[in-house]
Amino acid sequence: MKNAMIFAALAAATLSPAAPAFEPARQLRIGLDGIDLAAPGGMAAAQRRIDRAARDFCRNDVEHLTRKARRAARQCREAARGDALAELDDRRLRQLAAR
């Protein structure tokens, strides 16, 4: 798979409960270089990259946050992971169809 990336756009308000509504959305970029999604371990490797990127993208120092901020960080991770996995499934189907 040539230089593939997954983009998951998330509203900045998901990252910070106090963020103003006019902040632009941030994009999470996940490189899938060297991963064959049709190979047995390819999907698992891609999912590990997605999980790691979602943790890094959203706040992961949750033990030092308020309950509300921890909830926002969890929602951010879930949204980032969900968006990226949906795009990953779509890319995998396109890759399999091209064979």
Side-chain angles (χ1 to χ4, degrees):
M1 177 181 248
K2 271 186 167 178
N3 212 7
M5 299 283 281
I6 287 183
F7 299 97
L10 299 170
T14 349
L15 301 175
S16 170
F22 57 84
E23 282 190 32
R26 293 179 21 179
Q27 276 195 338
L28 169 63
R29 295 176 185 220
I30 304 164
L32 296 179
D33 296 337
I35 295 180
D36 180 6
L37 299 177
M43 282 297 284
Q47 289 173 347
R48 283 191 302 275
R49 285 189 190 183
I50 288 170
D51 289 342
R52 186 172 34 250
R55 276 193 314 270
D56 292 344
F57 184 74
C58 303
R59 292 199 64 164
N60 59 5
D61 60 342
V62 294
E63 65 273 359
H64 304 294
L65 301 176
T66 64
R67 190 173 291 176
K68 187 175 181 179
R70 281 194 304 266
R71 185 176 331 120
R74 185 183 68 245
Q75 289 171 342
C76 173
R77 286 190 303 275
E78 289 170 358
R81 188 173 190 280
D83 290 349
L85 287 175
E87 189 168 336
L88 177 66
D89 286 340
D90 186 50
R91 285 179 185 263
R92 181 173 182 257
L93 290 175
R94 285 194 314 260
Q95 187 181 48
L96 289 172
R99 288 185 174 200

Coordinates of all heavy atoms in Angstrom, one line a residue:
M1 N 0.9 -1.2 0.0 CA 0.0 0.0 0.0 C 0.9 1.2 0.0 O 1.7 1.4 0.9 CB -0.9 0.0 1.2 CG -1.8 1.1 1.4 SD -2.7 1.0 2.9 CE -4.3 0.8 2.2
K2 N 0.7 2.1 -1.0 CA 1.6 3.2 -1.1 C 1.2 4.4 -0.2 O 0.1 4.8 -0.2 CB 1.5 3.8 -2.6 CG 2.4 3.2 -3.5 CD 2.3 3.9 -4.8 CE 3.4 3.6 -5.8 NZ 3.2 4.3 -7.0
N3 N 2.1 4.8 0.6 CA 2.0 6.0 1.4 C 0.6 6.4 1.9 O 0.1 7.4 1.6 CB 2.6 7.2 0.6 CG 3.2 8.2 1.4 OD1 3.3 8.0 2.6 ND2 3.6 9.3 0.8
A4 N -0.1 5.5 2.5 CA -1.5 5.7 2.9 C -1.5 6.4 4.3 O -0.7 6.1 5.1 CB -2.2 4.3 3.0
M5 N -2.5 7.2 4.4 CA -2.7 7.9 5.7 C -4.2 7.8 6.0 O -5.0 7.8 5.1 CB -2.3 9.4 5.6 CG -0.9 9.6 5.3 SD 0.2 9.4 6.7 CE -0.1 10.9 7.5
I6 N -4.5 7.8 7.3 CA -5.9 7.9 7.7 C -6.0 9.2 8.4 O -5.2 9.6 9.2 CB -6.2 6.8 8.7 CG1 -6.3 5.4 8.0 CG2 -7.5 7.0 9.4 CD1 -6.8 4.3 8.8
F7 N -7.1 9.9 8.1 CA -7.4 11.2 8.7 C -8.7 11.1 9.5 O -9.7 10.7 8.9 CB -7.5 12.3 7.6 CG -6.3 12.5 6.8 CD1 -6.2 11.9 5.5 CD2 -5.3 13.3 7.2 CE1 -5.1 12.1 4.7 CE2 -4.2 13.5 6.4 CZ -4.1 12.9 5.2
A8 N -8.6 11.6 10.7 CA -9.8 11.6 11.5 C -9.9 13.1 12.0 O -9.1 13.5 12.8 CB -9.7 10.6 12.6
A9 N -10.9 13.8 11.5 CA -11.1 15.1 11.9 C -12.0 15.2 13.2 O -13.0 14.5 13.2 CB -11.8 15.9 10.8
L10 N -11.5 15.9 14.2 CA -12.2 16.0 15.4 C -12.4 17.5 15.8 O -11.5 18.3 15.6 CB -11.5 15.3 16.5 CG -11.3 13.8 16.3 CD1 -10.3 13.3 17.3 CD2 -12.6 13.1 16.4
A11 N -13.5 17.8 16.3 CA -13.7 19.2 16.8 C -12.9 19.5 18.0 O -12.7 18.6 18.8 CB -15.2 19.4 17.1
A12 N -12.3 20.6 18.0 CA -11.4 21.0 19.1 C -12.2 21.0 20.4 O -11.7 20.8 21.5 CB -10.8 22.4 18.9
A13 N -13.5 21.2 20.4 CA -14.3 21.2 21.6 C -14.3 19.9 22.3 O -14.5 19.8 23.5 CB -15.7 21.7 21.3
T14 N -14.1 18.8 21.6 CA -14.0 17.5 22.2 C -12.8 17.3 23.0 O -12.8 16.6 24.0 CB -14.0 16.4 21.1 OG1 -14.2 16.9 19.8 CG2 -14.9 15.3 21.4
L15 N -11.8 18.1 22.7 CA -10.5 18.0 23.4 C -10.5 18.8 24.7 O -9.9 18.4 25.7 CB -9.4 18.4 22.5 CG -9.2 17.6 21.3 CD1 -8.1 18.3 20.4 CD2 -8.9 16.2 21.6
S16 N -11.2 19.9 24.7 CA -11.2 20.8 25.9 C -12.6 21.3 26.1 O -13.1 22.0 25.3 CB -10.2 21.9 25.6 OG -10.4 22.9 26.6
P17 N -13.2 20.9 27.2 CA -14.5 21.4 27.5 C -14.7 22.9 27.5 O -15.8 23.4 27.2 CB -14.8 20.8 28.9 CG -13.7 19.9 29.2 CD -12.6 20.2 28.3
A18 N -13.6 23.6 27.8 CA -13.7 25.1 27.8 C -13.4 25.7 26.5 O -13.3 26.9 26.4 CB -12.8 25.6 28.9
A19 N -13.1 24.9 25.4 CA -12.7 25.5 24.2 C -13.8 26.3 23.5 O -14.9 25.8 23.5 CB -12.2 24.4 23.2
P20 N -13.5 27.4 23.0 CA -14.5 28.2 22.3 C -15.0 27.5 21.0 O -14.3 26.7 20.4 CB -13.9 29.5 21.9 CG -12.5 29.4 22.4 CD -12.2 28.1 23.0
A21 N -16.3 27.8 20.6 CA -16.9 27.1 19.5 C -16.2 27.4 18.2 O -16.4 26.7 17.2 CB -18.4 27.3 19.5
F22 N -15.5 28.5 18.1 CA -14.9 29.0 16.8 C -13.6 28.4 16.5 O -13.0 28.6 15.5 CB -14.8 30.5 16.8 CG -14.0 31.1 17.9 CD1 -12.6 31.2 17.8 CD2 -14.6 31.6 19.0 CE1 -11.9 31.7 18.8 CE2 -13.9 32.1 20.1 CZ -12.5 32.2 20.0
E23 N -13.0 27.5 17.4 CA -11.7 26.9 17.1 C -11.9 25.9 15.9 O -12.8 25.2 15.9 CB -11.2 26.2 18.3 CG -10.6 27.1 19.3 CD -9.9 26.4 20.4 OE1 -9.3 25.3 20.1 OE2 -9.9 26.8 21.5
P24 N -10.9 25.9 15.0 CA -11.0 25.0 13.9 C -10.8 23.5 14.4 O -10.2 23.3 15.4 CB -9.9 25.4 13.0 CG -8.9 26.1 13.9 CD -9.7 26.7 15.0
A25 N -11.3 22.6 13.6 CA -11.1 21.2 13.9 C -9.7 20.8 13.7 O -9.0 21.3 12.8 CB -12.0 20.3 13.0
R26 N -9.2 19.9 14.5 CA -7.9 19.4 14.4 C -8.0 18.0 13.6 O -9.0 17.4 13.6 CB -7.2 19.1 15.7 CG -7.0 20.4 16.5 CD -6.4 20.1 17.8 NE -5.7 18.8 18.0 CZ -5.1 18.4 19.1 NH1 -5.1 19.2 20.1 NH2 -4.6 17.3 19.2
Q27 N -6.9 17.7 12.9 CA -6.9 16.4 12.2 C -5.8 15.5 12.8 O -4.7 15.9 13.1 CB -6.5 16.6 10.8 CG -7.7 17.0 9.9 CD -7.4 16.8 8.4 OE1 -6.2 16.8 8.0 NE2 -8.4 16.7 7.6
L28 N -6.2 14.2 13.0 CA -5.4 13.2 13.4 C -4.9 12.5 12.2 O -5.7 12.0 11.4 CB -6.1 12.2 14.4 CG -5.4 10.9 14.7 CD1 -4.2 11.2 15.5 CD2 -6.4 10.1 15.5
R29 N -3.6 12.4 12.0 CA -3.0 11.7 10.8 C -2.3 10.4 11.3 O -1.5 10.5 12.2 CB -2.1 12.6 10.1 CG -2.7 13.8 9.5 CD -1.8 14.7 8.8 NE -2.5 15.9 8.4 CZ -2.2 16.5 7.3 NH1 -1.3 16.0 6.5 NH2 -2.9 17.5 6.9
I30 N -2.6 9.3 10.7 CA -2.1 8.0 11.1 C -1.4 7.4 9.8 O -2.1 7.1 8.9 CB -3.1 7.1 11.6 CG1 -3.8 7.8 12.8 CG2 -2.5 5.8 12.1 CD1 -5.1 7.1 13.2
G31 N -0.1 7.2 9.8 CA 0.6 6.6 8.7 C 0.4 5.1 8.7 O 0.5 4.4 9.7
L32 N 0.1 4.6 7.5 CA -0.1 3.2 7.3 C 0.9 2.6 6.4 O 0.7 1.6 5.8 CB -1.5 2.8 6.8 CG -2.7 3.2 7.8 CD1 -4.0 2.9 7.1 CD2 -2.5 2.5 9.1
D33 N 2.0 3.3 6.2 CA 3.1 2.8 5.3 C 3.6 1.5 5.8 O 3.8 1.2 6.9 CB 4.3 3.8 5.4 CG 3.9 5.2 4.9 OD1 3.0 5.3 4.1 OD2 4.6 6.1 5.2
G34 N 3.7 0.6 4.8 CA 4.2 -0.7 5.0 C 3.2 -1.7 5.6 O 3.6 -2.8 5.9
I35 N 2.0 -1.4 5.7 CA 1.0 -2.3 6.2 C 0.1 -2.7 5.0 O -0.5 -1.9 4.4 CB 0.1 -1.6 7.3 CG1 1.0 -1.3 8.5 CG2 -1.1 -2.5 7.7 CD1 0.2 -0.6 9.6
D36 N 0.0 -4.0 4.9 CA -0.9 -4.6 3.9 C -2.2 -5.1 4.6 O -2.1 -6.0 5.4 CB -0.2 -5.9 3.2 CG -1.1 -6.5 2.2 OD1 -2.2 -6.0 1.9 OD2 -0.7 -7.6 1.7
L37 N -3.2 -4.3 4.4 CA -4.5 -4.6 5.1 C -5.1 -5.9 4.8 O -6.0 -6.4 5.5 CB -5.5 -3.4 4.9 CG -5.0 -2.1 5.3 CD1 -6.0 -1.0 4.9 CD2 -4.7 -2.0 6.8
A38 N -4.7 -6.5 3.7 CA -5.2 -7.9 3.4 C -4.4 -9.0 4.0 O -4.9 -10.1 4.0 CB -5.3 -8.0 1.8
A39 N -3.2 -8.7 4.5 CA -2.4 -9.7 5.1 C -3.0 -10.0 6.5 O -3.6 -9.2 7.1 CB -1.0 -9.2 5.3
P40 N -2.7 -11.2 7.0 CA -3.2 -11.7 8.3 C -3.0 -10.7 9.5 O -3.9 -10.4 10.2 CB -2.6 -13.0 8.5 CG -2.2 -13.5 7.2 CD -1.9 -12.3 6.4
G41 N -1.8 -10.2 9.6 CA -1.5 -9.3 10.7 C -1.6 -7.8 10.4 O -1.4 -6.9 11.2
G42 N -2.0 -7.5 9.1 CA -2.1 -6.1 8.7 C -3.1 -5.3 9.4 O -2.8 -4.2 9.9
M43 N -4.3 -5.8 9.6 CA -5.4 -5.1 10.3 C -5.0 -4.8 11.7 O -5.2 -3.8 12.3 CB -6.7 -5.8 10.2 CG -7.4 -5.6 8.8 SD -7.8 -3.9 8.4 CE -9.3 -3.7 9.5
A44 N -4.5 -5.9 12.4 CA -4.1 -5.8 13.8 C -3.0 -4.7 14.0 O -3.1 -3.9 14.9 CB -3.6 -7.1 14.3
A45 N -2.0 -4.6 13.1 CA -1.0 -3.6 13.1 C -1.6 -2.2 12.9 O -1.2 -1.3 13.6 CB 0.1 -3.9 12.1
A46 N -2.5 -2.1 12.0 CA -3.1 -0.8 11.7 C -3.9 -0.4 12.9 O -3.9 0.8 13.3 CB -4.0 -0.9 10.5
Q47 N -4.6 -1.3 13.6 CA -5.4 -1.0 14.8 C -4.5 -0.5 15.9 O -4.9 0.4 16.7 CB -6.3 -2.1 15.1 CG -7.5 -2.3 14.2 CD -8.3 -3.6 14.4 OE1 -7.8 -4.5 15.2 NE2 -9.4 -3.7 13.8
R48 N -3.4 -1.2 16.1 CA -2.4 -0.7 17.1 C -2.0 0.7 16.9 O -1.9 1.5 17.8 CB -1.3 -1.7 17.2 CG -1.6 -3.0 17.9 CD -0.3 -3.8 18.2 NE 0.5 -4.1 17.0 CZ 0.3 -5.2 16.3 NH1 -0.7 -6.0 16.5 NH2 1.1 -5.4 15.2
R49 N -1.6 1.0 15.6 CA -1.2 2.4 15.3 C -2.3 3.4 15.6 O -2.1 4.5 16.1 CB -0.8 2.5 13.8 CG 0.5 1.9 13.5 CD 1.0 2.2 12.1 NE 2.1 1.4 11.8 CZ 2.8 1.5 10.6 NH1 2.4 2.4 9.7 NH2 3.8 0.8 10.4
I50 N -3.6 3.0 15.2 CA -4.7 3.9 15.5 C -4.9 4.1 17.0 O -5.1 5.2 17.4 CB -6.0 3.3 14.9 CG1 -5.9 3.4 13.4 CG2 -7.3 4.0 15.4 CD1 -7.0 2.6 12.6
D51 N -4.8 3.1 17.8 CA -5.0 3.2 19.2 C -3.9 4.1 19.8 O -4.2 5.0 20.6 CB -4.9 1.8 19.9 CG -6.1 1.0 19.7 OD1 -7.2 1.5 19.3 OD2 -6.0 -0.3 19.9
R52 N -2.7 3.9 19.4 CA -1.5 4.7 19.9 C -1.7 6.2 19.5 O -1.5 7.1 20.3 CB -0.2 4.1 19.4 CG 1.0 4.8 19.9 CD 2.3 4.1 19.6 NE 2.3 3.5 18.3 CZ 2.4 2.2 18.0 NH1 2.4 1.3 19.0 NH2 2.4 1.7 16.8
A53 N -2.1 6.4 18.2 CA -2.3 7.8 17.7 C -3.4 8.5 18.5 O -3.3 9.7 18.8 CB -2.5 7.8 16.2
A54 N -4.5 7.8 18.7 CA -5.6 8.4 19.4 C -5.2 8.7 20.9 O -5.6 9.8 21.3 CB -6.8 7.4 19.5
R55 N -4.5 7.9 21.5 CA -4.0 8.2 22.9 C -3.1 9.5 22.9 O -3.2 10.3 23.7 CB -3.2 7.1 23.5 CG -4.1 6.0 24.1 CD -3.3 5.1 25.0 NE -2.1 4.6 24.3 CZ -2.0 3.5 23.6 NH1 -3.0 2.8 23.3 NH2 -0.8 3.1 23.1
D56 N -2.2 9.6 21.9 CA -1.3 10.7 21.8 C -2.1 12.0 21.4 O -1.7 13.1 21.8 CB -0.2 10.4 20.8 CG 0.7 9.4 21.2 OD1 0.7 9.0 22.4 OD2 1.5 8.8 20.4
F57 N -3.1 11.9 20.5 CA -3.8 13.0 20.0 C -4.7 13.6 21.1 O -4.7 14.9 21.2 CB -4.7 12.6 18.8 CG -5.4 13.7 18.2 CD1 -4.8 14.6 17.3 CD2 -6.8 13.8 18.4 CE1 -5.5 15.6 16.7 CE2 -7.5 14.8 17.7 CZ -6.9 15.7 16.9
C58 N -5.3 12.8 21.9 CA -6.2 13.3 23.0 C -5.3 13.2 24.3 O -4.3 12.6 24.3 CB -7.4 12.3 23.1 SG -8.3 12.2 21.6
R59 N -5.8 13.9 25.2 CA -5.1 14.0 26.5 C -5.0 12.6 27.1 O -6.0 11.9 27.2 CB -5.7 14.9 27.5 CG -5.6 16.3 27.0 CD -5.9 17.2 28.1 NE -4.8 17.1 29.1 CZ -4.6 18.0 30.1 NH1 -5.4 19.1 30.1 NH2 -3.7 17.8 31.0
N60 N -3.8 12.1 27.5 CA -3.6 10.8 28.0 C -3.1 10.9 29.5 O -2.8 9.9 30.0 CB -2.8 9.9 27.1 CG -1.4 10.5 26.9 OD1 -1.0 11.5 27.5 ND2 -0.6 9.9 26.1
D61 N -3.0 12.1 30.0 CA -2.5 12.2 31.4 C -3.8 12.4 32.3 O -3.8 13.3 33.1 CB -1.6 13.4 31.5 CG -2.2 14.7 31.1 OD1 -3.2 14.7 30.4 OD2 -1.7 15.8 31.5
V62 N -4.7 11.5 32.1 CA -6.1 11.7 32.7 C -6.1 11.6 34.2 O -7.0 12.2 34.8 CB -7.1 10.7 32.1 CG1 -7.3 11.0 30.7 CG2 -6.6 9.3 32.3
E63 N -5.1 11.0 34.8 CA -5.1 10.9 36.3 C -4.9 12.3 37.0 O -5.3 12.5 38.1 CB -4.0 10.0 36.8 CG -2.6 10.4 36.5 CD -2.1 9.9 35.1 OE1 -2.8 9.3 34.4 OE2 -1.0 10.3 34.8
H64 N -4.5 13.3 36.2 CA -4.3 14.6 36.8 C -5.4 15.6 36.4 O -5.3 16.8 36.7 CB -2.9 15.2 36.3 CG -1.8 14.4 36.6 ND1 -1.4 14.1 37.9 CD2 -1.0 13.6 35.8 CE1 -0.3 13.3 37.9 NE2 -0.1 13.0 36.7
L65 N -6.4 15.1 35.7 CA -7.5 15.9 35.2 C -8.8 15.8 36.1 O -8.9 14.9 36.9 CB -7.9 15.5 33.8 CG -6.8 15.5 32.7 CD1 -7.3 15.0 31.4 CD2 -6.3 17.0 32.6
T66 N -9.6 16.8 35.9 CA -10.9 16.8 36.6 C -11.8 15.7 36.0 O -11.5 15.2 34.9 CB -11.7 18.1 36.5 OG1 -11.9 18.3 35.1 CG2 -10.8 19.3 37.0
R67 N -12.8 15.3 36.6 CA -13.7 14.3 36.1 C -14.3 14.7 34.7 O -14.3 13.9 33.8 CB -14.9 14.0 37.1 CG -15.7 12.8 36.8 CD -16.7 12.6 37.9 NE -15.9 12.1 39.0 CZ -16.5 11.9 40.2 NH1 -17.8 12.0 40.4 NH2 -15.8 11.5 41.2
K68 N -14.6 15.9 34.6 CA -15.2 16.4 33.3 C -14.1 16.4 32.2 O -14.4 16.0 31.1 CB -15.7 17.9 33.5 CG -16.4 18.4 32.3 CD -17.0 19.8 32.7 CE -17.8 20.4 31.5 NZ -18.3 21.7 31.9
A69 N -12.9 16.7 32.5 CA -11.8 16.7 31.5 C -11.5 15.3 31.2 O -11.2 15.0 30.0 CB -10.6 17.4 32.1
R70 N -11.5 14.3 32.2 CA -11.3 12.9 31.9 C -12.3 12.4 30.9 O -12.0 11.6 30.0 CB -11.3 12.1 33.2 CG -10.0 12.2 33.9 CD -9.9 11.1 35.0 NE -11.0 11.1 35.9 CZ -11.0 11.7 37.1 NH1 -10.0 12.4 37.5 NH2 -12.1 11.6 37.9
R71 N -13.6 12.8 31.2 CA -14.7 12.3 30.3 C -14.4 12.9 28.9 O -14.6 12.2 27.9 CB -16.0 12.8 30.8 CG -17.2 12.3 30.0 CD -18.5 12.6 30.6 NE -18.5 12.8 32.1 CZ -18.8 13.9 32.7 NH1 -19.2 15.0 32.1 NH2 -18.7 14.0 34.0
A72 N -14.1 14.1 28.7 CA -13.8 14.7 27.4 C -12.6 14.0 26.7 O -12.7 13.8 25.5 CB -13.5 16.2 27.6
A73 N -11.6 13.7 27.5 CA -10.5 13.0 26.9 C -10.9 11.6 26.4 O -10.5 11.1 25.3 CB -9.3 12.9 27.9
R74 N -11.7 10.9 27.2 CA -12.2 9.6 26.8 C -13.0 9.7 25.6 O -12.9 8.9 24.6 CB -12.9 8.9 28.0 CG -13.4 7.5 27.6 CD -14.2 6.8 28.7 NE -15.5 7.5 28.8 CZ -15.9 8.2 29.8 NH1 -15.2 8.4 30.9 NH2 -17.1 8.8 29.8
Q75 N -13.9 10.7 25.5 CA -14.8 10.8 24.3 C -14.0 11.2 23.1 O -14.3 10.7 22.0 CB -15.8 11.9 24.6 CG -16.9 11.5 25.6 CD -17.8 12.7 26.0 OE1 -17.4 13.8 25.9 NE2 -18.9 12.3 26.6
C76 N -12.9 11.9 23.3 CA -12.0 12.3 22.2 C -11.4 11.0 21.6 O -11.3 10.8 20.4 CB -11.0 13.3 22.6 SG -9.7 13.6 21.4
R77 N -10.8 10.2 22.5 CA -10.2 8.9 22.1 C -11.1 8.0 21.4 O -10.8 7.4 20.4 CB -9.5 8.2 23.3 CG -8.3 8.9 23.8 CD -7.6 8.0 24.8 NE -8.4 7.7 26.0 CZ -8.6 8.4 27.1 NH1 -8.0 9.6 27.1 NH2 -9.3 8.0 28.1
E78 N -12.3 7.9 21.9 CA -13.4 7.0 21.3 C -13.8 7.5 19.9 O -13.9 6.8 19.0 CB -14.6 6.9 22.2 CG -14.3 6.1 23.5 CD -15.5 6.2 24.5 OE1 -16.5 6.9 24.3 OE2 -15.4 5.5 25.6
A79 N -13.9 8.9 19.8 CA -14.3 9.4 18.5 C -13.2 9.3 17.5 O -13.4 8.9 16.4 CB -14.7 10.9 18.7
A80 N -11.9 9.6 17.9 CA -10.8 9.4 17.1 C -10.6 8.0 16.6 O -10.4 7.7 15.4 CB -9.5 9.9 17.8
R81 N -10.7 7.1 17.5 CA -10.6 5.7 17.2 C -11.7 5.2 16.3 O -11.5 4.5 15.3 CB -10.6 4.8 18.5 CG -10.2 3.4 18.2 CD -10.1 2.6 19.6 NE -9.5 1.3 19.4 CZ -10.2 0.3 19.0 NH1 -11.5 0.4 18.7 NH2 -9.6 -0.9 18.8
G82 N -12.9 5.6 16.6 CA -14.1 5.2 15.8 C -14.0 5.7 14.3 O -14.2 5.0 13.4
D83 N -13.6 7.0 14.2 CA -13.5 7.6 12.9 C -12.4 6.9 12.1 O -12.5 6.6 10.9 CB -13.2 9.1 13.0 CG -14.4 9.9 13.4 OD1 -15.5 9.4 13.5 OD2 -14.1 11.1 13.7
A84 N -11.2 6.7 12.7 CA -10.1 6.1 12.0 C -10.4 4.6 11.7 O -10.0 4.2 10.6 CB -8.9 6.2 12.9
L85 N -11.1 3.9 12.5 CA -11.4 2.5 12.2 C -12.4 2.4 11.1 O -12.3 1.5 10.2 CB -11.9 1.8 13.4 CG -10.9 1.4 14.5 CD1 -11.6 0.8 15.7 CD2 -9.8 0.5 14.0
A86 N -13.4 3.3 11.0 CA -14.3 3.4 9.9 C -13.6 3.6 8.6 O -13.9 3.0 7.6 CB -15.4 4.4 10.1
E87 N -12.7 4.5 8.6 CA -11.9 4.8 7.4 C -11.0 3.7 7.0 O -10.8 3.3 5.9 CB -11.1 6.1 7.5 CG -10.5 6.5 6.2 CD -9.9 7.9 6.3 OE1 -10.4 8.7 7.1 OE2 -9.0 8.2 5.4
L88 N -10.4 3.0 8.1 CA -9.6 1.8 7.8 C -10.4 0.7 7.2 O -9.9 0.1 6.2 CB -9.0 1.3 9.2 CG -8.2 0.1 9.1 CD1 -6.9 0.3 8.3 CD2 -7.8 -0.4 10.5
D89 N -11.6 0.4 7.6 CA -12.4 -0.6 7.0 C -12.7 -0.2 5.6 O -12.7 -1.1 4.7 CB -13.7 -0.7 7.8 CG -13.6 -1.5 9.1 OD1 -12.5 -2.2 9.3 OD2 -14.4 -1.3 10.0
D90 N -13.0 1.0 5.3 CA -13.2 1.5 3.9 C -12.0 1.3 3.0 O -12.1 0.8 1.9 CB -13.7 3.0 3.9 CG -14.1 3.4 2.6 OD1 -14.9 2.7 1.9 OD2 -13.6 4.5 2.1
R91 N -10.8 1.6 3.5 CA -9.6 1.4 2.8 C -9.3 0.0 2.5 O -8.9 -0.4 1.4 CB -8.4 2.1 3.5 CG -8.4 3.5 3.4 CD -7.2 4.1 4.2 NE -7.2 5.5 4.2 CZ -6.6 6.3 3.4 NH1 -5.8 5.7 2.4 NH2 -6.6 7.6 3.4
R92 N -9.6 -0.9 3.5 CA -9.4 -2.3 3.4 C -10.3 -2.9 2.3 O -9.8 -3.7 1.5 CB -9.6 -3.0 4.7 CG -9.4 -4.5 4.6 CD -9.5 -5.1 6.0 NE -9.2 -6.5 5.9 CZ -10.1 -7.5 5.9 NH1 -11.4 -7.2 6.1 NH2 -9.8 -8.7 5.9
L93 N -11.5 -2.5 2.3 CA -12.5 -3.0 1.3 C -12.0 -2.5 -0.1 O -12.1 -3.3 -1.1 CB -13.9 -2.5 1.6 CG -14.5 -3.1 2.8 CD1 -15.9 -2.5 3.1 CD2 -14.7 -4.6 2.6
R94 N -11.6 -1.3 -0.2 CA -11.1 -0.8 -1.5 C -9.8 -1.6 -2.0 O -9.7 -1.9 -3.1 CB -10.8 0.7 -1.5 CG -12.0 1.5 -1.5 CD -11.7 3.0 -1.8 NE -10.6 3.6 -1.1 CZ -10.7 4.3 0.0 NH1 -11.9 4.6 0.5 NH2 -9.7 4.8 0.6
Q95 N -9.0 -1.8 -1.0 CA -7.7 -2.6 -1.3 C -8.1 -4.0 -1.8 O -7.5 -4.5 -2.7 CB -6.8 -2.6 -0.1 CG -5.5 -3.2 -0.4 CD -4.6 -3.2 0.8 OE1 -5.0 -3.7 1.9 NE2 -3.3 -2.8 0.7
L96 N -9.0 -4.7 -1.1 CA -9.4 -6.0 -1.5 C -10.1 -6.0 -2.8 O -9.9 -7.0 -3.6 CB -10.3 -6.6 -0.4 CG -9.6 -7.0 0.9 CD1 -10.6 -7.4 2.0 CD2 -8.6 -8.0 0.7
A97 N -10.9 -5.0 -3.1 CA -11.6 -4.9 -4.4 C -10.7 -4.7 -5.6 O -10.9 -5.1 -6.7 CB -12.7 -3.8 -4.3
A98 N -9.5 -4.1 -5.3 CA -8.6 -3.8 -6.3 C -7.8 -5.0 -6.7 O -7.1 -5.0 -7.7 CB -7.7 -2.7 -5.9
R99 N -7.8 -6.1 -6.0 CA -7.0 -7.3 -6.2 C -7.6 -8.1 -7.3 O -8.7 -8.2 -7.6 CB -6.8 -8.1 -5.0 CG -5.9 -7.4 -4.1 CD -5.6 -8.2 -2.9 NE -4.5 -7.6 -2.1 CZ -3.8 -8.2 -1.3 NH1 -3.9 -9.4 -1.0 NH2 -2.9 -7.5 -0.6

